[in-house]
Amino acid sequence: GSSKMEKKTIADTSYIKYKYYSIVNDPSKTIRNNTAKVYLDKIKTTVSDYVVISTTTELHYMKNLSTGTYRGNFIKLTAGTDFTIDYTTGILTFRNTLSSEYVVAIDYQYTDGTWLSDSTSGNPQIIKDTNNTDSLSTEVHTFYSLGNYQITKYNGRDNFILEIRDLNDTVPSIIDGGKPVPKFPNIDGYEANIIVDYENGVFNLQPITGKPLHDDLYTSNTHKYNFVAQYEYKVKIFNLRTDIVPMSEKVVANGKT
């Protein structure tokens, strides 16, 4: 393969939706690794769905246990296939973007032996409702896509540039509301570093579960800043024979045409 240079302008309003959720309920306690159980209600079940929690069970919302309950038909998802969890940050990442109406519930064990569900009669707790309501959903709003995968890692010079600019194309000295400006490359001890996942073409702002940009981005989706990125990424090239009949080609990937 070869590399290709790319320049992207990414609006602050275009954070990745329906994919990243916080599972942290009590920051004073540590979640035991590999104990999380994630459940999904797709609203419309199919014959092939193996329902493990039915509408006979009332589930509470983790973010606000006193805000009513929900009943649904939940299937249990598979770790490593359907989702991954960073137990250090408490971030749940779905392999595929969820449909907006899906409902997600979770349970896990703390290192002290207790379970999240101990406070709700042994039932998992909901972290995403059908409307992704801010007061009920634990969705994280700090992840953005760079638009490509397999990005060449920053070499300490100028092969990877990522900075935030206001709508006048100027790098701000402070974010509206008095917040620190997200920065790359990272500065030790700085509270607003930008973390880049080069392999998957994603970057996220610190603090990961906070609201590092202007408040009205999160309340009214107001666009005030852009991220400007310039980088190289790997491109796969396949060489074909020179005597191919025009329009006769067919590409098959993973058994699909």
mmCIF file of all heavy atoms in Angstrom, residues 34-77:
data_model
loop_
_atom_site.group_PDB
_atom_site.id
_atom_site.type_symbol
_atom_site.label_atom_id
_atom_site.label_comp_id
_atom_site.label_asym_id
_atom_site.label_seq_id
_atom_site.Cartn_x
_atom_site.Cartn_y
_atom_site.Cartn_z
ATOM 1 N N ASN A 34 -13.717 -7.252 33.330
ATOM 2 C CA ASN A 34 -14.402 -8.348 32.616
ATOM 3 C C ASN A 34 -15.644 -8.880 33.320
ATOM 4 O O ASN A 34 -16.023 -10.040 33.127
ATOM 5 C CB ASN A 34 -13.416 -9.507 32.355
ATOM 6 C CG ASN A 34 -12.190 -9.051 31.592
ATOM 7 O OD1 ASN A 34 -12.296 -8.318 30.608
ATOM 8 N ND2 ASN A 34 -11.017 -9.460 32.044
ATOM 9 N N THR A 35 -16.293 -8.044 34.130
ATOM 10 C CA THR A 35 -17.514 -8.492 34.801
ATOM 11 C C THR A 35 -18.777 -7.865 34.213
ATOM 12 O O THR A 35 -19.884 -8.262 34.578
ATOM 13 C CB THR A 35 -17.481 -8.167 36.309
ATOM 14 O OG1 THR A 35 -17.374 -6.740 36.482
ATOM 15 C CG2 THR A 35 -16.300 -8.860 36.987
ATOM 16 N N ALA A 36 -18.624 -6.913 33.311
ATOM 17 C CA ALA A 36 -19.792 -6.189 32.799
ATOM 18 C C ALA A 36 -20.669 -7.074 31.912
ATOM 19 O O ALA A 36 -20.173 -7.864 31.101
ATOM 20 C CB ALA A 36 -19.346 -4.960 32.014
ATOM 21 N N LYS A 37 -21.966 -6.917 32.100
ATOM 22 C CA LYS A 37 -22.963 -7.588 31.266
ATOM 23 C C LYS A 37 -23.795 -6.500 30.602
ATOM 24 O O LYS A 37 -24.363 -5.639 31.295
ATOM 25 C CB LYS A 37 -23.856 -8.494 32.110
ATOM 26 C CG LYS A 37 -23.087 -9.557 32.897
ATOM 27 C CD LYS A 37 -24.019 -10.311 33.844
ATOM 28 C CE LYS A 37 -23.257 -11.308 34.705
ATOM 29 N NZ LYS A 37 -24.161 -12.001 35.660
ATOM 30 N N VAL A 38 -23.844 -6.519 29.271
ATOM 31 C CA VAL A 38 -24.533 -5.469 28.520
ATOM 32 C C VAL A 38 -25.744 -6.066 27.809
ATOM 33 O O VAL A 38 -25.639 -7.111 27.159
ATOM 34 C CB VAL A 38 -23.584 -4.810 27.493
ATOM 35 C CG1 VAL A 38 -24.310 -3.716 26.720
ATOM 36 C CG2 VAL A 38 -22.353 -4.237 28.196
ATOM 37 N N TYR A 39 -26.879 -5.393 27.944
ATOM 38 C CA TYR A 39 -28.137 -5.874 27.380
ATOM 39 C C TYR A 39 -28.711 -4.830 26.426
ATOM 40 O O TYR A 39 -28.591 -3.625 26.669
ATOM 41 C CB TYR A 39 -29.139 -6.158 28.495
ATOM 42 C CG TYR A 39 -28.628 -7.132 29.541
ATOM 43 C CD1 TYR A 39 -27.946 -6.676 30.671
ATOM 44 C CD2 TYR A 39 -28.817 -8.499 29.394
ATOM 45 C CE1 TYR A 39 -27.475 -7.561 31.629
ATOM 46 C CE2 TYR A 39 -28.348 -9.399 30.348
ATOM 47 C CZ TYR A 39 -27.676 -8.920 31.460
ATOM 48 O OH TYR A 39 -27.208 -9.798 32.403
ATOM 49 N N LEU A 40 -29.352 -5.319 25.365
ATOM 50 C CA LEU A 40 -29.879 -4.421 24.330
ATOM 51 C C LEU A 40 -31.326 -4.751 24.003
ATOM 52 O O LEU A 40 -31.672 -5.908 23.737
ATOM 53 C CB LEU A 40 -29.031 -4.545 23.057
ATOM 54 C CG LEU A 40 -29.430 -3.663 21.867
ATOM 55 C CD1 LEU A 40 -29.113 -2.191 22.178
ATOM 56 C CD2 LEU A 40 -28.688 -4.093 20.597
ATOM 57 N N ASP A 41 -32.159 -3.717 24.031
ATOM 58 C CA ASP A 41 -33.546 -3.845 23.572
ATOM 59 C C ASP A 41 -33.645 -3.137 22.225
ATOM 60 O O ASP A 41 -33.519 -1.910 22.149
ATOM 61 C CB ASP A 41 -34.505 -3.209 24.586
ATOM 62 C CG ASP A 41 -35.964 -3.280 24.124
ATOM 63 O OD1 ASP A 41 -36.247 -3.980 23.129
ATOM 64 O OD2 ASP A 41 -36.815 -2.632 24.758
ATOM 65 N N LYS A 42 -33.842 -3.916 21.160
ATOM 66 C CA LYS A 42 -33.934 -3.362 19.813
ATOM 67 C C LYS A 42 -35.343 -2.889 19.474
ATOM 68 O O LYS A 42 -35.633 -2.559 18.321
ATOM 69 C CB LYS A 42 -33.462 -4.395 18.792
ATOM 70 C CG LYS A 42 -32.004 -4.806 18.973
ATOM 71 C CD LYS A 42 -31.500 -5.686 17.842
ATOM 72 C CE LYS A 42 -32.195 -7.032 17.843
ATOM 73 N NZ LYS A 42 -31.650 -7.930 16.785
ATOM 74 N N ILE A 43 -36.214 -2.871 20.474
ATOM 75 C CA ILE A 43 -37.612 -2.424 20.353
ATOM 76 C C ILE A 43 -38.441 -3.425 19.545
ATOM 77 O O ILE A 43 -39.491 -3.875 19.972
ATOM 78 C CB ILE A 43 -37.721 -1.012 19.734
ATOM 79 C CG1 ILE A 43 -36.838 -0.027 20.511
ATOM 80 C CG2 ILE A 43 -39.179 -0.557 19.753
ATOM 81 C CD1 ILE A 43 -37.126 0.069 21.981
ATOM 82 N N LYS A 44 -37.935 -3.800 18.375
ATOM 83 C CA LYS A 44 -38.629 -4.800 17.563
ATOM 84 C C LYS A 44 -37.817 -6.092 17.587
ATOM 85 O O LYS A 44 -36.749 -6.165 16.982
ATOM 86 C CB LYS A 44 -38.799 -4.306 16.123
ATOM 87 C CG LYS A 44 -39.678 -3.071 15.991
ATOM 88 C CD LYS A 44 -39.800 -2.631 14.534
ATOM 89 C CE LYS A 44 -40.679 -1.388 14.412
ATOM 90 N NZ LYS A 44 -40.788 -0.932 12.998
ATOM 91 N N THR A 45 -38.314 -7.092 18.285
ATOM 92 C CA THR A 45 -37.605 -8.361 18.372
ATOM 93 C C THR A 45 -37.912 -9.237 17.165
ATOM 94 O O THR A 45 -38.943 -9.091 16.510
ATOM 95 C CB THR A 45 -37.990 -9.125 19.651
ATOM 96 O OG1 THR A 45 -39.403 -9.326 19.657
ATOM 97 C CG2 THR A 45 -37.590 -8.353 20.889
ATOM 98 N N THR A 46 -36.977 -10.140 16.852
ATOM 99 C CA THR A 46 -37.160 -11.090 15.753
ATOM 100 C C THR A 46 -37.156 -12.503 16.317
ATOM 101 O O THR A 46 -36.817 -12.728 17.483
ATOM 102 C CB THR A 46 -36.035 -10.941 14.711
ATOM 103 O OG1 THR A 46 -34.777 -11.269 15.319
ATOM 104 C CG2 THR A 46 -35.967 -9.512 14.176
ATOM 105 N N VAL A 47 -37.500 -13.457 15.490
ATOM 106 C CA VAL A 47 -37.566 -14.857 15.921
ATOM 107 C C VAL A 47 -36.206 -15.343 16.417
ATOM 108 O O VAL A 47 -36.108 -16.150 17.340
ATOM 109 C CB VAL A 47 -38.075 -15.749 14.764
ATOM 110 C CG1 VAL A 47 -38.045 -17.218 15.177
ATOM 111 C CG2 VAL A 47 -39.484 -15.341 14.358
ATOM 112 N N SER A 48 -35.139 -14.826 15.799
ATOM 113 C CA SER A 48 -33.790 -15.294 16.144
ATOM 114 C C SER A 48 -33.242 -14.666 17.431
ATOM 115 O O SER A 48 -32.216 -15.090 17.936
ATOM 116 C CB SER A 48 -32.833 -14.997 14.986
ATOM 117 O OG SER A 48 -32.757 -13.601 14.743
ATOM 118 N N ASP A 49 -33.922 -13.650 17.954
ATOM 119 C CA ASP A 49 -33.446 -12.995 19.167
ATOM 120 C C ASP A 49 -33.688 -13.885 20.394
ATOM 121 O O ASP A 49 -34.797 -14.382 20.591
ATOM 122 C CB ASP A 49 -34.162 -11.658 19.376
ATOM 123 C CG ASP A 49 -33.722 -10.606 18.374
ATOM 124 O OD1 ASP A 49 -32.599 -10.716 17.871
ATOM 125 O OD2 ASP A 49 -34.517 -9.686 18.094
ATOM 126 N N TYR A 50 -32.637 -14.047 21.197
ATOM 127 C CA TYR A 50 -32.766 -14.820 22.431
ATOM 128 C C TYR A 50 -32.943 -13.828 23.577
ATOM 129 O O TYR A 50 -31.984 -13.253 24.091
ATOM 130 C CB TYR A 50 -31.538 -15.693 22.654
ATOM 131 C CG TYR A 50 -31.612 -16.538 23.904
ATOM 132 C CD1 TYR A 50 -32.571 -17.547 24.035
ATOM 133 C CD2 TYR A 50 -30.754 -16.311 24.970
ATOM 134 C CE1 TYR A 50 -32.658 -18.315 25.184
ATOM 135 C CE2 TYR A 50 -30.819 -17.073 26.126
ATOM 136 C CZ TYR A 50 -31.785 -18.072 26.219
ATOM 137 O OH TYR A 50 -31.876 -18.824 27.375
ATOM 138 N N VAL A 51 -34.195 -13.617 23.952
ATOM 139 C CA VAL A 51 -34.519 -12.623 24.973
ATOM 140 C C VAL A 51 -34.190 -13.168 26.359
ATOM 141 O O VAL A 51 -34.660 -14.231 26.750
ATOM 142 C CB VAL A 51 -36.010 -12.230 24.898
ATOM 143 C CG1 VAL A 51 -36.383 -11.302 26.043
ATOM 144 C CG2 VAL A 51 -36.315 -11.573 23.554
ATOM 145 N N VAL A 52 -33.365 -12.427 27.105
ATOM 146 C CA VAL A 52 -32.969 -12.860 28.454
ATOM 147 C C VAL A 52 -33.641 -12.027 29.540
ATOM 148 O O VAL A 52 -33.688 -12.422 30.689
ATOM 149 C CB VAL A 52 -31.441 -12.813 28.628
ATOM 150 C CG1 VAL A 52 -30.752 -13.798 27.693
ATOM 151 C CG2 VAL A 52 -30.898 -11.407 28.397
ATOM 152 N N ILE A 53 -34.121 -10.830 29.168
ATOM 153 C CA ILE A 53 -34.903 -9.997 30.082
ATOM 154 C C ILE A 53 -36.155 -9.563 29.331
ATOM 155 O O ILE A 53 -36.059 -8.894 28.292
ATOM 156 C CB ILE A 53 -34.124 -8.753 30.551
ATOM 157 C CG1 ILE A 53 -32.829 -9.161 31.261
ATOM 158 C CG2 ILE A 53 -34.980 -7.893 31.476
ATOM 159 C CD1 ILE A 53 -31.935 -7.992 31.615
ATOM 160 N N SER A 54 -37.327 -9.920 29.823
ATOM 161 C CA SER A 54 -38.570 -9.632 29.110
ATOM 162 C C SER A 54 -39.306 -8.449 29.730
ATOM 163 O O SER A 54 -38.858 -7.854 30.720
ATOM 164 C CB SER A 54 -39.473 -10.864 29.109
ATOM 165 O OG SER A 54 -39.975 -11.106 30.408
ATOM 166 N N THR A 55 -40.451 -8.145 29.153
ATOM 167 C CA THR A 55 -41.243 -7.000 29.617
ATOM 168 C C THR A 55 -41.864 -7.219 30.992
ATOM 169 O O THR A 55 -42.490 -6.311 31.536
ATOM 170 C CB THR A 55 -42.362 -6.689 28.608
ATOM 171 O OG1 THR A 55 -43.124 -7.885 28.371
ATOM 172 C CG2 THR A 55 -41.784 -6.206 27.283
ATOM 173 N N THR A 56 -41.670 -8.382 31.565
ATOM 174 C CA THR A 56 -42.177 -8.624 32.921
ATOM 175 C C THR A 56 -41.267 -8.015 33.977
ATOM 176 O O THR A 56 -41.632 -7.938 35.151
ATOM 177 C CB THR A 56 -42.316 -10.130 33.197
ATOM 178 O OG1 THR A 56 -41.037 -10.757 33.060
ATOM 179 C CG2 THR A 56 -43.302 -10.775 32.222
ATOM 180 N N THR A 57 -40.082 -7.578 33.567
ATOM 181 C CA THR A 57 -39.098 -7.032 34.509
ATOM 182 C C THR A 57 -38.974 -5.521 34.365
ATOM 183 O O THR A 57 -38.796 -5.008 33.259
ATOM 184 C CB THR A 57 -37.712 -7.674 34.285
ATOM 185 O OG1 THR A 57 -37.823 -9.097 34.402
ATOM 186 C CG2 THR A 57 -36.703 -7.168 35.304
ATOM 187 N N GLU A 58 -39.059 -4.819 35.474
ATOM 188 C CA GLU A 58 -38.899 -3.363 35.466
ATOM 189 C C GLU A 58 -37.431 -3.011 35.699
ATOM 190 O O GLU A 58 -36.816 -3.476 36.652
ATOM 191 C CB GLU A 58 -39.741 -2.722 36.570
ATOM 192 C CG GLU A 58 -41.232 -2.742 36.305
ATOM 193 C CD GLU A 58 -42.003 -1.940 37.346
ATOM 194 O OE1 GLU A 58 -41.421 -1.663 38.417
ATOM 195 O OE2 GLU A 58 -43.158 -1.602 37.083
ATOM 196 N N LEU A 59 -36.900 -2.174 34.815
ATOM 197 C CA LEU A 59 -35.516 -1.727 34.953
ATOM 198 C C LEU A 59 -35.486 -0.235 35.269
ATOM 199 O O LEU A 59 -36.253 0.549 34.696
ATOM 200 C CB LEU A 59 -34.726 -1.998 33.670
ATOM 201 C CG LEU A 59 -34.637 -3.444 33.192
ATOM 202 C CD1 LEU A 59 -33.673 -3.542 32.011
ATOM 203 C CD2 LEU A 59 -34.196 -4.379 34.302
ATOM 204 N N HIS A 60 -34.572 0.149 36.156
ATOM 205 C CA HIS A 60 -34.404 1.556 36.510
ATOM 206 C C HIS A 60 -33.279 2.180 35.679
ATOM 207 O O HIS A 60 -32.437 1.480 35.108
ATOM 208 C CB HIS A 60 -34.079 1.694 38.003
ATOM 209 C CG HIS A 60 -35.224 1.381 38.897
ATOM 210 N ND1 HIS A 60 -35.603 0.084 39.192
ATOM 211 C CD2 HIS A 60 -36.087 2.187 39.580
ATOM 212 C CE1 HIS A 60 -36.652 0.097 40.006
ATOM 213 N NE2 HIS A 60 -36.961 1.357 40.248
ATOM 214 N N TYR A 61 -33.270 3.512 35.652
ATOM 215 C CA TYR A 61 -32.243 4.253 34.930
ATOM 216 C C TYR A 61 -31.071 4.527 35.870
ATOM 217 O O TYR A 61 -31.247 5.119 36.937
ATOM 218 C CB TYR A 61 -32.809 5.570 34.398
ATOM 219 C CG TYR A 61 -33.954 5.370 33.428
ATOM 220 C CD1 TYR A 61 -35.279 5.392 33.864
ATOM 221 C CD2 TYR A 61 -33.712 5.140 32.071
ATOM 222 C CE1 TYR A 61 -36.333 5.196 32.973
ATOM 223 C CE2 TYR A 61 -34.751 4.939 31.171
ATOM 224 C CZ TYR A 61 -36.060 4.968 31.643
ATOM 225 O OH TYR A 61 -37.100 4.770 30.763
ATOM 226 N N MET A 62 -29.878 4.121 35.477
ATOM 227 C CA MET A 62 -28.710 4.255 36.339
ATOM 228 C C MET A 62 -28.457 5.695 36.748
ATOM 229 O O MET A 62 -28.086 5.986 37.885
ATOM 230 C CB MET A 62 -27.460 3.692 35.640
ATOM 231 C CG MET A 62 -26.222 3.679 36.525
ATOM 232 S SD MET A 62 -24.733 3.055 35.693
ATOM 233 C CE MET A 62 -24.230 4.533 34.795
ATOM 234 N N LYS A 63 -28.666 6.618 35.824
ATOM 235 C CA LYS A 63 -28.360 8.027 36.072
ATOM 236 C C LYS A 63 -29.338 8.672 37.050
ATOM 237 O O LYS A 63 -29.019 9.661 37.696
ATOM 238 C CB LYS A 63 -28.367 8.782 34.738
ATOM 239 C CG LYS A 63 -27.506 10.026 34.703
ATOM 240 C CD LYS A 63 -27.388 10.539 33.283
ATOM 241 C CE LYS A 63 -26.548 11.797 33.206
ATOM 242 N NZ LYS A 63 -26.434 12.281 31.814
ATOM 243 N N ASN A 64 -30.535 8.094 37.133
ATOM 244 C CA ASN A 64 -31.546 8.634 38.035
ATOM 245 C C ASN A 64 -32.531 7.526 38.398
ATOM 246 O O ASN A 64 -33.510 7.294 37.688
ATOM 247 C CB ASN A 64 -32.275 9.808 37.383
ATOM 248 C CG ASN A 64 -33.121 10.596 38.369
ATOM 249 O OD1 ASN A 64 -33.513 10.069 39.413
ATOM 250 N ND2 ASN A 64 -33.405 11.846 38.037
ATOM 251 N N LEU A 65 -32.259 6.842 39.477
ATOM 252 C CA LEU A 65 -33.054 5.675 39.856
ATOM 253 C C LEU A 65 -34.505 6.023 40.186
ATOM 254 O O LEU A 65 -35.377 5.158 40.153
ATOM 255 C CB LEU A 65 -32.418 4.972 41.059
ATOM 256 C CG LEU A 65 -31.041 4.333 40.837
ATOM 257 C CD1 LEU A 65 -30.542 3.684 42.121
ATOM 258 C CD2 LEU A 65 -31.078 3.317 39.711
ATOM 259 N N SER A 66 -34.764 7.289 40.473
ATOM 260 C CA SER A 66 -36.117 7.686 40.864
ATOM 261 C C SER A 66 -36.984 8.112 39.680
ATOM 262 O O SER A 66 -38.158 8.435 39.850
ATOM 263 C CB SER A 66 -36.053 8.833 41.878
ATOM 264 O OG SER A 66 -35.449 9.978 41.305
ATOM 265 N N THR A 67 -36.413 8.104 38.468
ATOM 266 C CA THR A 67 -37.161 8.541 37.279
ATOM 267 C C THR A 67 -37.839 7.365 36.612
ATOM 268 O O THR A 67 -37.437 6.912 35.533
ATOM 269 C CB THR A 67 -36.233 9.244 36.270
ATOM 270 O OG1 THR A 67 -35.537 10.289 36.927
ATOM 271 C CG2 THR A 67 -37.036 9.845 35.115
ATOM 272 N N GLY A 68 -38.863 6.847 37.234
ATOM 273 C CA GLY A 68 -39.661 5.795 36.618
ATOM 274 C C GLY A 68 -38.875 4.540 36.290
ATOM 275 O O GLY A 68 -37.727 4.359 36.711
ATOM 276 N N THR A 69 -39.511 3.659 35.516
ATOM 277 C CA THR A 69 -38.883 2.405 35.105
ATOM 278 C C THR A 69 -39.190 2.132 33.642
ATOM 279 O O THR A 69 -39.997 2.817 33.017
ATOM 280 C CB THR A 69 -39.398 1.222 35.951
ATOM 281 O OG1 THR A 69 -40.831 1.154 35.825
ATOM 282 C CG2 THR A 69 -39.022 1.379 37.414
ATOM 283 N N TYR A 70 -38.531 1.101 33.104
ATOM 284 C CA TYR A 70 -38.730 0.733 31.701
ATOM 285 C C TYR A 70 -38.865 -0.783 31.607
ATOM 286 O O TYR A 70 -38.179 -1.521 32.309
ATOM 287 C CB TYR A 70 -37.536 1.207 30.856
ATOM 288 C CG TYR A 70 -37.604 0.774 29.405
ATOM 289 C CD1 TYR A 70 -38.347 1.504 28.486
ATOM 290 C CD2 TYR A 70 -36.928 -0.371 28.966
ATOM 291 C CE1 TYR A 70 -38.429 1.107 27.157
ATOM 292 C CE2 TYR A 70 -37.001 -0.768 27.643
ATOM 293 C CZ TYR A 70 -37.755 -0.030 26.742
ATOM 294 O OH TYR A 70 -37.834 -0.427 25.432
ATOM 295 N N ARG A 71 -39.733 -1.221 30.719
ATOM 296 C CA ARG A 71 -39.890 -2.649 30.444
ATOM 297 C C ARG A 71 -39.592 -2.893 28.965
ATOM 298 O O ARG A 71 -40.075 -2.156 28.103
ATOM 299 C CB ARG A 71 -41.312 -3.115 30.747
ATOM 300 C CG ARG A 71 -41.729 -3.009 32.211
ATOM 301 C CD ARG A 71 -43.223 -3.285 32.361
ATOM 302 N NE ARG A 71 -43.702 -3.122 33.720
ATOM 303 C CZ ARG A 71 -43.882 -4.114 34.572
ATOM 304 N NH1 ARG A 71 -43.604 -5.363 34.208
ATOM 305 N NH2 ARG A 71 -44.334 -3.882 35.783
ATOM 306 N N GLY A 72 -38.814 -3.917 28.662
ATOM 307 C CA GLY A 72 -38.498 -4.226 27.271
ATOM 308 C C GLY A 72 -38.045 -5.661 27.117
ATOM 309 O O GLY A 72 -37.966 -6.416 28.091
ATOM 310 N N ASN A 73 -37.745 -6.036 25.890
ATOM 311 C CA ASN A 73 -37.216 -7.365 25.587
ATOM 312 C C ASN A 73 -35.734 -7.232 25.254
ATOM 313 O O ASN A 73 -35.372 -6.754 24.172
ATOM 314 C CB ASN A 73 -37.982 -7.989 24.421
ATOM 315 C CG ASN A 73 -39.415 -8.330 24.792
ATOM 316 O OD1 ASN A 73 -39.662 -9.052 25.756
ATOM 317 N ND2 ASN A 73 -40.369 -7.799 24.035
ATOM 318 N N PHE A 74 -34.886 -7.635 26.173
ATOM 319 C CA PHE A 74 -33.450 -7.435 26.038
ATOM 320 C C PHE A 74 -32.729 -8.735 25.667
ATOM 321 O O PHE A 74 -33.026 -9.800 26.205
ATOM 322 C CB PHE A 74 -32.856 -6.920 27.347
ATOM 323 C CG PHE A 74 -33.234 -5.512 27.686
ATOM 324 C CD1 PHE A 74 -34.439 -5.242 28.330
ATOM 325 C CD2 PHE A 74 -32.405 -4.449 27.371
ATOM 326 C CE1 PHE A 74 -34.799 -3.945 28.661
ATOM 327 C CE2 PHE A 74 -32.751 -3.152 27.692
ATOM 328 C CZ PHE A 74 -33.954 -2.893 28.339
ATOM 329 N N ILE A 75 -31.778 -8.589 24.753
ATOM 330 C CA ILE A 75 -30.844 -9.673 24.466
ATOM 331 C C ILE A 75 -29.518 -9.326 25.139
ATOM 332 O O ILE A 75 -29.257 -8.162 25.432
ATOM 333 C CB ILE A 75 -30.639 -9.875 22.948
ATOM 334 C CG1 ILE A 75 -30.074 -8.591 22.310
ATOM 335 C CG2 ILE A 75 -31.932 -10.302 22.273
ATOM 336 C CD1 ILE A 75 -29.694 -8.751 20.847
ATOM 337 N N LYS A 76 -28.705 -10.337 25.412
ATOM 338 C CA LYS A 76 -27.402 -10.094 26.022
ATOM 339 C C LYS A 76 -26.345 -10.017 24.933
ATOM 340 O O LYS A 76 -26.263 -10.893 24.067
ATOM 341 C CB LYS A 76 -27.057 -11.211 27.012
ATOM 342 C CG LYS A 76 -25.761 -10.966 27.784
ATOM 343 C CD LYS A 76 -25.487 -12.097 28.766
ATOM 344 C CE LYS A 76 -24.183 -11.859 29.512
ATOM 345 N NZ LYS A 76 -23.843 -12.979 30.423
ATOM 346 N N LEU A 77 -25.545 -8.969 24.958
ATOM 347 C CA LEU A 77 -24.502 -8.777 23.957
ATOM 348 C C LEU A 77 -23.218 -9.493 24.374
ATOM 349 O O LEU A 77 -23.023 -9.820 25.546
ATOM 350 C CB LEU A 77 -24.235 -7.288 23.752
ATOM 351 C CG LEU A 77 -25.440 -6.450 23.292
ATOM 352 C CD1 LEU A 77 -25.014 -5.007 23.052
ATOM 353 C CD2 LEU A 77 -26.068 -7.047 22.040
#
